[in-house]
Amino acid sequence: MTFKLAASPHSHQRRTTQQVMRWVYLALIPGVIALIYFFGWGVVWQLGLAIITAWGAEAACMGLRGRPIGFAWRDHTALVTAILLAISIPGLAPWWLIVIGTAFSIVVVKHVYGGVGQNIFNPAMAGYVLLLISFPVQMTSWPLPQEISQFDLSFMDSASVIFTGFTPAGYNLEQLRMGADGLTMATPLDSLRTALNHQLTMSEALQQPIFGDLAGLGWQWVNIAFLLGGLVLLKQRIISWHIPGGMLLGLLIPATLAWMFAPDQSVSPLMHLLSGATMLGAFFIATDPVTAATSNRGRLYFGLLIGFIVFAIRTWGGYPDAVAFAVLLANMTVPIIDKYTQPVAYGHGGRS
């Protein structure tokens, strides 16, 4: 038997940024397909607009910084940012919304801070929060799931709504969001918040047609699809379990306690896990290696913090889904988390 001596680091797998990002956007495919299936072709148009804007903004910034422009297409970080932002906004949102958000994510959040590896905030979530605060009506106008919608929009019908605000038949977005009872419907988490604010019990709130067997119609399967993609990333060791596990645990523990003590006034743990952007956030957003904590223990604390903030904002805050805010707030704590969770070098851990 022979042994090979080599200097550290000793790594069995060496992946480039391009390879890691490729695995990320491939793992997103199940969730994207589920979004298209349940919420229509508008998702495809948003993806196209976001990718074109991201590549253009990336190339422009690289050129201005004197860097090779071709790197904008070879490095897949801009592509992943575009995909994450595009699938986070309503599929029928006006075209300029995704253009503004994507350009802000690439130009300001990424390149103003120095480009790849230098940004302190998650670019996609910073762009999302900018849009949510600036254009709250457009950002909360999600279409109904296809199974309860009165309208079956084609690929070109969706394009017409995105670029003109109306379908070829003359329906606007507000009309497209009306259910069979003539009432405009919101997302499951938003519907629950509104119902509870009107003093309805949880069982009464869940009678609305927007809810399914597990959580919200469409949303429950979208979250399961993103969970499957996340498990692929775990299996390929693109991400570790600490951040997604910590985030889901940080959300599940307070949600379970609230459900146990006040079931008629609290969202169920399963609803928290399978609604909104929970699984997308846990496996694809919070795990961004640039803006997350670096040690395993730090990643676990980072994930736990995100999960608790999501629960707190959903329960007491002003927004029904809180993943973007939670991730950005946790990004600000990374330096202090890293300071107190870095492993101590051998021989330097004792008292002086």
Side-chain angles (χ1 to χ4, degrees):
M1 180 180 295
T2 60
F3 295 92
K4 180 180 178 181
L5 299 179
S8 62
H10 306 286
S11 175
H12 296 287
Q13 293 182 344
R14 297 188 64 184
R15 292 190 176 100
T16 64
T17 300
Q18 183 183 34
Q19 292 170 329
V20 171
M21 293 298 105
R22 183 182 295 120
W23 270 109
V24 171
Y25 69 69
L26 289 175
L28 282 165
I29 290 176
V32 172
I33 292 175
L35 274 171
I36 297 170
Y37 179 81
F38 287 106
F39 296 102
W41 292 108
V43 177
V44 178
W45 285 101
Q46 300 294 346
L47 283 167
L49 288 168
I51 292 170
I52 292 171
T53 303
W55 278 343
E58 183 88 348
C61 289
M62 295 293 281
L64 290 172
R65 296 174 59 199
R67 305 291 179 83
I69 293 179
F71 187 73
W73 287 272
R74 293 193 302 270
D75 171 57
H76 294 313
T77 55
L79 175 62
V80 170
T81 296
I83 295 173
L84 291 174
L85 183 55
I87 61 179
S88 298
I89 73 171
L92 297 178
W95 65 271
W96 47 264
L97 199 73
I98 188 63
V99 171
I100 293 173
T102 306
F104 177 81
S105 297
I106 299 298
V107 176
V108 177
V109 185
K110 181 178 179 182
H111 281 282
V112 165
Y113 284 90
V116 178
Q118 303 300 317
N119 50 287
I120 61 175
F121 296 107
N122 184 288
M125 292 302 95
Y128 176 89
V129 168
L130 169 78
L131 296 177
L132 184 60
I133 294 174
S134 304
F135 311 102
V137 174
Q138 291 83 355
M139 284 293 289
T140 54
S141 298
W142 279 90
L144 290 176
Q146 296 287 343
E147 51 196 302
I148 60 173
S149 176
Q150 300 182 74
F151 304 92
D152 185 14
L153 299 183
S154 67
F155 185 71
M156 296 310 298
D157 289 340
S158 300
S160 180
V161 176
I162 291 170
F163 289 101
T164 71
F166 297 89
T167 67
Y171 294 106
N172 60 27
L173 181 56
E174 195 67 17
Q175 292 169 317
L176 296 174
R177 295 178 60 226
M178 287 187 179
D181 54 4
L183 298 176
T184 301
M185 307 186 76
T187 60
L189 287 173
D190 203 11
S191 296
L192 282 179
R193 174 187 291 275
T194 301
L196 294 177
N197 288 339
H198 285 81
Q199 306 304 314
L200 296 178
T201 65
M202 185 59 62
S203 57
E204 292 171 335
L206 293 175
Q207 298 304 311
Q208 299 177 65
I210 194 68
F211 298 104
D213 297 328
L214 301 176
L217 287 178
W219 293 101
Q220 56 195 13
W221 301 114
V222 169
N223 273 275
I224 290 173
F226 282 125
L227 170 61
L228 293 176
L231 294 177
V232 170
L233 294 183
L234 287 174
K235 180 175 176 56
Q236 293 297 322
R237 297 185 179 179
I238 301 298
I239 62 175
S240 67
W241 64 268
H242 302 84
I243 292 177
M247 176 178 164
L248 297 179
L249 192 62
L251 175 59
L252 186 63
I253 291 175
T256 301
L257 292 174
W259 179 256
M260 289 172 58
F261 289 103
D264 281 338
Q265 294 297 318
S266 303
V267 178
S268 73
L270 190 60
M271 182 74 70
H272 273 294
L273 293 178
L274 297 181
S275 291
T278 301
M279 294 300 171
L280 176 65
F283 290 96
F284 296 95
I285 295 173
T287 53
D288 174 20
V290 175
T291 57
T294 54
S295 68
N296 285 337
R297 188 156 59 98
R299 291 180 185 131
L300 183 60
Y301 295 157
F302 178 76
L304 286 168
L305 178 62
I306 293 175
F308 179 76
I309 295 175
V310 168
F311 171 79
I313 296 178
R314 286 181 178 180
T315 304
W316 301 294
Y319 295 93
D321 193 16
V323 171
F325 289 100
V327 169
L328 295 181
L329 290 171
N331 287 159
M332 290 190 286
T333 69
V334 165
I336 195 71
I337 292 176
D338 281 345
K339 178 179 180 180
Y340 290 103
T341 59
Q342 288 293 339
V344 178
Y346 180 76
H348 295 272
R351 296 179 179 179
S352 56

